[in-house]
Amino acid sequence: MLPMFVTASLLCGTSAFASGPTVSQAEKAAIVASLSTTLDANYVFPDVARKIEPALREHLAKGDYASITTKEAFAKRLTDDLLALTGDLHFFVGVDPKWVADYRTKALPAAKAKLRQEELAELEKSNFGFDEVGHLSGNIGYVRFSYFANPELAYDAAAAAMRFVENSDAVIIDLRYNNGGYLEMAQLLASYFFPSDKDQLLFDYNYNEDGKRIARGQWVLPGLPGKRMVDKPLYILTGSASFSSAEWFSYAMKKLGRATLIGERTAGGAHPVARKPIDDDFFVQVPIGQIRDPVDHGDFEGVGVAPDLPSSSIQALPLAHKLALENLSKTDAAKAADYTWLLPTLTAAIEHPQADAALVRKAVGKYEGRELTLENGTLFYVWRKRLRVALQPIGPNLFAVEGVSDFRYRLTSGRGKSVTLERLNKDGTIQTYQRLD
């Protein structure tokens, strides 16, 4: 299994390291030499790897590292130099003696079992990356997750997420803030949207493993828990922070004509990576291979994946929701009615309209069997004196009702305090409540 780890250098700040384990000049030279050997055996581009060592040794000779006193600061400087020399955002040098020790003993059965339990415990704390699974109005399924977890451990969580949305009329997968992870999880999730009776390549790649070159392809899986969603429209949300496996999932689904991408261009980290120890304290996250799409055999390294429908990432979800219902309404009369009814709400989620403030103030008062109150700028609908819900503006005089989707309220103004409260029902009927005070 080939993991594509989150690139730590993409997420780290630039603060200086003022304290921590120190590093001598001799240790710096030894680390540079070991780092170079590790890159020669693992970096995907051997010709580039051969140029890295002379450049780092030149920094040593010129005294560029002389003022660095801590291991953490030296690791950060090496990361910066690797990024500058290669332009590859996947590179990261870190200090983690425990990880190095675990790596060197992980082949031992007892150590391997212990590490697996620790990994499982950490994954469980974040629900294996699955942050939100939902059912949007109009029967649109929604899945948001922040990383692609190891499917050997996250299989049940992924299957549960897919089962939750399998009866939806369309599905939105939200990868706007997903920084990558295991490509095998991308393979598992993508397989739900293709038939099982046809061989379909998803990802084709090769990589280095300690000097050995390995070629591999990942195909649609023939067996899955739950239903396949072969004919359901799929929308994938992307952002500038979408990275690595999140980009590959988006890119392959777009290339295969299976999804519409909405949002921003992604970060542009296409290379699979692995962590390798440098010495007893340092490790390097190194790009070890190249992945190719199944159609044009290309990738997006350094340029990112372009969405089909560009949008600011913060607006991508309501835009995708609106587009999904709009497209469904073209072939389904029932969906056309849903779309017409929900259009004001969907549009409001994108445009954030403001209510007519003067009308809202004028509307406060008692009506037949109910009352409107205003608290901290929010209009509330009150009935039976103690039951109340907030009214959310979706137009100057139109309001959605908190927790309700099959009716909404409209205010119409007359002279003086004359305001009429109308309940607009999804079936097209209207109930009118006259002002009493």
Side-chain angles (χ1 to χ4, degrees), residues 291-368:
I291 305 176
R292 295 172 294 274
D293 79 71
V295 178
D296 301 318
H297 310 294
D299 69 14
F300 47 83
E301 179 65 30
V303 297
V305 182
D308 298 296
L309 182 59
S311 162
S312 63
S313 61
I314 199 169
Q315 295 283 14
L317 177 54
L319 189 61
H321 189 185
K322 182 173 180 287
L323 181 63
L325 280 177
E326 182 179 13
N327 288 338
L328 288 168
S329 73
K330 295 174 182 178
T331 56
D332 186 328
K335 283 296 172 190
D338 276 345
Y339 176 68
T340 300
W341 169 252
L342 292 170
L343 185 58
T345 304
L346 298 171
T347 302
I350 298 170
E351 299 178 355
H352 304 289
Q354 299 295 315
D356 182 331
L359 177 60
V360 167
R361 290 192 297 270
K362 187 177 179 181
V364 172
K366 298 182 183 300
Y367 297 79
E368 296 174 291

Side-chain angles (χ1 to χ4, degrees), residues 117-130:
Q117 286 301 313
E118 290 176 354
E119 181 184 3
L120 178 60
E122 286 301 312
L123 291 174
E124 288 175 340
K125 291 178 183 178
S126 59
N127 196 38
F128 302 93
F130 289 92

Side-chain angles (χ1 to χ4, degrees), residues 126-178:
S126 59
N127 196 38
F128 302 93
F130 289 92
D131 300 309
E132 185 176 356
V133 179
H135 180 258
L136 306 182
S137 56
N139 197 30
I140 307 300
Y142 174 71
V143 181
R144 177 171 65 88
F145 53 107
S146 53
Y147 62 89
F148 286 75
N150 181 348
E152 290 184 2
L153 302 175
Y155 186 84
D156 288 342
M162 292 296 102
R163 285 194 181 105
F164 188 89
V165 300
E166 65 185 12
N167 295 315
S168 305
D169 293 320
V171 176
I172 298 172
I173 293 182
D174 191 344
L175 302 179
R176 287 175 293 174
Y177 315 108
N178 187 305

Side-chain angles (χ1 to χ4, degrees), residues 56 91 109 189 199 299 317 350:
L56 296 181
F91 270 118
L189 297 177
D199 289 336
D299 69 14
L317 177 54
I350 298 170

Side-chain angles (χ1 to χ4, degrees), residues 20-216:
T22 59
V23 59
S24 68
Q25 295 303 108
E27 287 173 322
K28 293 173 190 174
I31 290 165
V32 166
S34 181
L35 172 61
S36 301
T37 300
T38 302
L39 297 182
D40 286 341
N42 294 282
Y43 187 39
V44 59
F45 301 117
D47 54 334
V48 178
R50 287 190 291 270
K51 297 176 182 178
I52 292 175
E53 181 175 11
L56 296 181
R57 288 194 176 280
E58 183 178 356
H59 282 304
L60 276 170
K62 290 169 60 178
D64 295 338
Y65 301 149
S67 63
I68 298 174
T69 60
T70 68
K71 292 181 178 181
E72 288 83 1
F74 188 48
K76 182 185 182 304
R77 175 58 191 267
L78 289 174
T79 298
D80 293 341
D81 287 343
L82 289 176
L83 294 177
L85 289 167
T86 66
D88 195 323
L89 294 177
H90 279 101
F91 270 118
F92 177 70
V93 179
V95 180
D96 192 339
K98 182 181 183 303
W99 181 88
V100 173
D102 289 342
Y103 180 90
R104 289 174 173 167
T105 61
K106 67 179 182 180
L108 301 175
K112 187 175 182 179
K114 180 175 180 291
L115 288 173
R116 190 176 184 84
Q117 286 301 313
E118 290 176 354
E119 181 184 3
L120 178 60
E122 286 301 312
L123 291 174
E124 288 175 340
K125 291 178 183 178
S126 59
N127 196 38
F128 302 93
F130 289 92
D131 300 309
E132 185 176 356
V133 179
H135 180 258
L136 306 182
S137 56
N139 197 30
I140 307 300
Y142 174 71
V143 181
R144 177 171 65 88
F145 53 107
S146 53
Y147 62 89
F148 286 75
N150 181 348
E152 290 184 2
L153 302 175
Y155 186 84
D156 288 342
M162 292 296 102
R163 285 194 181 105
F164 188 89
V165 300
E166 65 185 12
N167 295 315
S168 305
D169 293 320
V171 176
I172 298 172
I173 293 182
D174 191 344
L175 302 179
R176 287 175 293 174
Y177 315 108
N178 187 305
N179 294 134
Y182 281 79
L183 196 61
E184 286 79 6
M185 176 59 82
Q187 177 190 20
L188 171 62
L189 297 177
S191 295
Y192 278 92
F193 299 94
F194 293 94
S196 61
D197 58 356
K198 177 185 175 182
D199 289 336
Q200 176 61 63
L201 181 65
L202 296 171
F203 313 108
D204 184 25
Y205 58 94
N206 56 68
Y207 61 97
N208 296 322
E209 191 171 81
D210 298 322
K212 182 170 64 175
R213 191 75 165 177
I214 299 172
R216 186 180 183 188

Side-chain angles (χ1 to χ4, degrees), residues 336-414:
D338 276 345
Y339 176 68
T340 300
W341 169 252
L342 292 170
L343 185 58
T345 304
L346 298 171
T347 302
I350 298 170
E351 299 178 355
H352 304 289
Q354 299 295 315
D356 182 331
L359 177 60
V360 167
R361 290 192 297 270
K362 187 177 179 181
V364 172
K366 298 182 183 300
Y367 297 79
E368 296 174 291
R370 60 219 73 234
E371 183 179 2
L372 293 182
T373 64
L374 186 63
E375 299 178 31
N376 299 319
T378 298
L379 193 62
F380 285 90
Y381 175 87
V382 184
W383 73 107
R384 295 180 184 173
K385 296 184 178 180
R386 60 190 180 89
L387 305 175
R388 72 172 197 166
V389 290
L391 300 183
Q392 178 68 36
I394 54 177
N397 69 329
L398 190 63
F399 299 83
V401 183
E402 174 191 358
V404 176
S405 61
D406 56 356
F407 64 87
R408 55 180 63 116
Y409 285 103
R410 181 172 62 194
L411 300 174
T412 57
S413 178

